[in-house]
Amino acid sequence: MRVLIVNTSERTGGAAVAARRLMEALNGHGVKAKMLVRDKETDSLTVVGLKGKWWQQWCFLWERLVIYMYQHCSRKHLFEIDIANAGTDITRLPEFKEADVIHLHWINQGMLSLSGIRKILRSGKPVVWTMHDIWPATAICHLTLDCMQFKTGCHHCRYLPGGGSSNDLSTQIGRRKLGVLSGQSIIFVACSRWLESEARQSALLQNQKVTNIPNPLDTHIYKVTDKLEARRRLHLPADKQVVLFVSQRATNRYKGMDYLTEACRQLAAEHPEMTQRTCVTILGGHSEEVTETLPFQAFPLGYVNDERRIVDVYNAADVFVLPSLSENLPNTIMEAMACGVPCVGFKVGGIPEMIDHQKNGYVAAYRDAEDLARGLHWVLCEADGKALSKAAVSKVNRCYSQQSVALKYTEVYNEAIAQKGYKL
């Protein structure tokens, strides 16, 4: 079986990381998988980059320009919505023609257009689409937060000026999307049970099959190592408790840095002894911009793509915190747990599926900085750290191993092939 995994980027972003890990897992378990990307970042022979950089840039810029105009020349939500009005026709490529299954992942920001997706669906190839966020089930947005319009048909979109209208951009793109998907058989795969439940309620996906399979993780790479050695390599203090926060962009408001800051302030006020023995490590772009707001000593590490160094960062931590306002099945929690680090996060999205409350971490009430502080204190000062660490590793080995995920996807591919009557 030959599978073509399609994703905008090869390595940048959570979806890219998950898609590449899936490709490696499949190739390790008898499936011939390749990855087709717009942004190729390595010399890997199993990853193919789209040709025509000028065309890729034009597609990206044209989509942003149209959104910018609909936003009345405001940048406020410029990268929070996608309309898929421009992209590359991949059905002409040899990699597409030789594949038995087309596996779409995150294909936004000028990678594929709606008309390009229509061509893929009409090619007769079996199609599987992994949802790394809810965009495939909404008209234009990646985060619905508390908006329920996608369940009946998007309109009055909060991401548009004035809250949109009954026939706004989201309504128009929603109709186009419905026209693309109608009458087609696609298997949508959510990475969490939460996203599966949300997608099943979408007006766009009412006649499509939706299931869930978690992302895979290579536990030969992400594993427990010597904490003191990791700190020495990173120049972190050996005598302090380390709180770790990770985000591709630390200033992204949806990742909840404001809540972590407030939680740390409460800890410093209620437990002043923690001020001298606690520090916060921040991994991600713009990390230096958020350190001054913290009451504890902070170490901004910036953006890192060296996997060995990332593993060191996790192993150096005593607790990993992810106070996101919306999450699917975050790779960062999976990675931290594989390295034996207990996790603290809000009760939102797929986070409660990963963190077993007070067994391998702490699930705090949504948007509650006080409970977030309580969870950090519980992990650092009250719980049995060794037991939490052991439970975290066990959860990853049981649920997110490469072998188990590859087997589940192979079953989905076979089902998609049978659905289409496609012959290998």
Side-chain angles (χ1 to χ4, degrees):
M1 183 191 302
R2 293 161 296 185
V3 176
L4 183 64
I5 292 172
V6 185
N7 197 75
T8 299
S9 174
E10 179 184 357
R11 296 181 64 181
T12 302
V17 171
R20 187 180 172 96
R21 286 175 180 170
L22 176 60
M23 177 188 70
E24 292 167 351
L26 291 169
N27 283 323
H29 291 85
V31 176
K32 295 179 180 178
K34 283 185 178 180
M35 199 168 169
L36 177 66
V37 300
R38 184 192 68 190
D39 304 327
K40 182 172 167 62
E41 300 167 74
T42 73
D43 57 1
S44 172
L45 296 177
T46 55
V47 180
V48 179
L50 291 177
K51 293 180 172 61
K53 288 296 181 184
W54 66 270
W55 172 250
Q56 310 306 323
Q57 291 172 359
W58 167 251
C59 291
F60 171 77
L61 292 172
W62 175 244
E63 182 181 36
R64 290 312 112 189
L65 178 61
V66 173
I67 293 171
Y68 184 66
M69 297 306 294
Y70 270 98
Q71 296 284 10
H72 297 173
C73 300
S74 168
R75 293 173 57 88
K76 185 176 180 182
H77 298 301
L78 187 58
F79 289 95
E80 293 174 39
I81 61 177
D82 278 286
I83 59 175
N85 65 331
T88 298
D89 178 7
I90 67 170
T91 61
R92 303 175 182 179
L93 301 177
E95 291 80 15
F96 183 92
K97 293 176 181 178
E98 71 182 16
D100 299 309
V101 177
I102 307 303
H103 190 166
L104 305 181
H105 283 254
W106 201 89
I107 44 74
N108 298 111
Q109 295 191 359
M111 174 70 181
L112 297 182
S113 66
L114 291 180
S115 59
I117 294 171
R118 179 185 285 110
K119 288 183 179 180
I120 292 170
L121 297 176
R122 290 181 175 177
S123 70
K125 300 265 188 183
V127 176
V128 174
W129 193 339
T130 290
M131 302 173 61
H132 294 279
D133 59 38
I134 203 164
W135 185 84
T138 70
I140 61 176
C141 75
H142 296 273
L143 295 176
T144 57
L145 296 177
D146 59 348
C147 176
M148 300 299 165
Q149 305 283 19
F150 74 99
K151 296 181 180 180
T152 55
C154 291
H155 56 89
H156 288 98
C157 180
R158 68 168 67 183
Y159 292 105
L160 299 174
S165 67
S166 60
N167 189 35
D168 60 18
L169 181 64
S170 70
T171 312
Q172 296 166 36
I173 300 299
R175 286 197 203 102
R176 286 197 63 200
K177 256 189 180 177
L178 185 60
V180 169
L181 299 176
S182 292
Q184 301 295 333
S185 56
I186 311 164
I187 299 180
F188 287 87
V189 180
C191 298
S192 65
R193 294 192 298 274
W194 164 79
L195 187 56
E196 178 192 8
S197 175
E198 292 289 290
R200 285 181 181 275
Q201 300 175 68
S202 165
L204 292 176
L205 306 189
Q206 283 305 299
N207 297 315
Q208 305 293 344
K209 172 162 185 180
V210 184
T211 185
N212 82 83
I213 301 174
N215 297 324
L217 185 70
D218 188 343
T219 52
H220 294 101
I221 296 174
Y222 289 86
K223 60 184 178 181
V224 178
T225 62
D226 187 275
K227 188 179 296 292
L228 291 178
E229 279 298 306
R231 291 188 181 186
R232 181 185 62 78
R233 287 190 287 269
L234 296 167
H235 306 291
L236 296 176
D239 59 346
K240 291 192 176 187
Q241 292 181 308
V242 176
V243 177
L244 174 63
F245 173 85
V246 177
S247 174
Q248 185 179 349
R249 180 166 53 87
T251 53
N252 182 344
R253 60 194 177 100
Y254 294 116
K255 293 300 181 181
M257 188 67 201
D258 289 344
Y259 287 93
L260 175 57
T261 300
E262 179 56 32
C264 288
R265 287 174 180 164
Q266 291 190 27
L267 287 172
E270 295 172 15
H271 307 280
E273 71 281 0
M274 292 184 70
T275 306
Q276 296 302 316
R277 59 181 175 86
T278 307
C279 66
V280 179
T281 301
I282 304 168
L283 180 64
H286 304 274
S287 55
E288 69 285 347
E289 296 177 25
V290 298
T291 56
E292 292 184 3
T293 61
L294 293 162
F296 302 139
Q297 184 180 15
F299 295 89
L301 300 181
Y303 182 79
V304 176
N305 59 15
D306 180 345
E307 207 159 34
R308 289 174 297 180
R309 186 171 172 83
I310 292 171
V311 171
D312 270 347
V313 172
Y314 284 121
N315 274 281
D318 293 294
V319 62
F320 172 69
V321 58
L322 186 63
S324 289
L325 305 186
S326 180
E327 281 291 348
N328 185 7
L329 197 80
N331 293 323
T332 50
I333 287 182
M334 194 184 301
E335 291 163 357
M337 290 173 64
C339 294
V341 183
C343 298
V344 177
F346 285 142
K347 188 176 182 180
V348 64
I351 290 177
E353 299 172 30
M354 306 179 81
I355 303 175
D356 300 314
H357 186 57
Q358 295 191 324
K359 292 181 180 178
N360 54 34
Y362 189 99
V363 181
Y366 186 52
R367 291 180 183 253
D368 189 334
E370 184 177 351
D371 199 24
L372 192 70
R374 193 177 298 121
L376 288 169
H377 188 269
W378 181 82
V379 170
L380 292 173
C381 307
E382 302 171 47
D384 182 339
K386 289 184 178 179
L388 289 179
S389 178
K390 184 178 179 181
V393 173
S394 176
K395 176 70 175 281
V396 172
N397 289 335
R398 188 171 67 254
C399 299
Y400 310 125
S401 73
Q402 287 182 311
Q403 181 176 5
S404 65
V405 173
L407 287 173
K408 288 176 181 177
Y409 265 112
T410 301
E411 292 175 3
V412 168
Y413 296 150
N414 285 326
E415 182 180 351
I417 289 168
Q419 235 176 223
K420 282 283 189 180
Y422 187 85
K423 294 184 179 180
L424 298 180

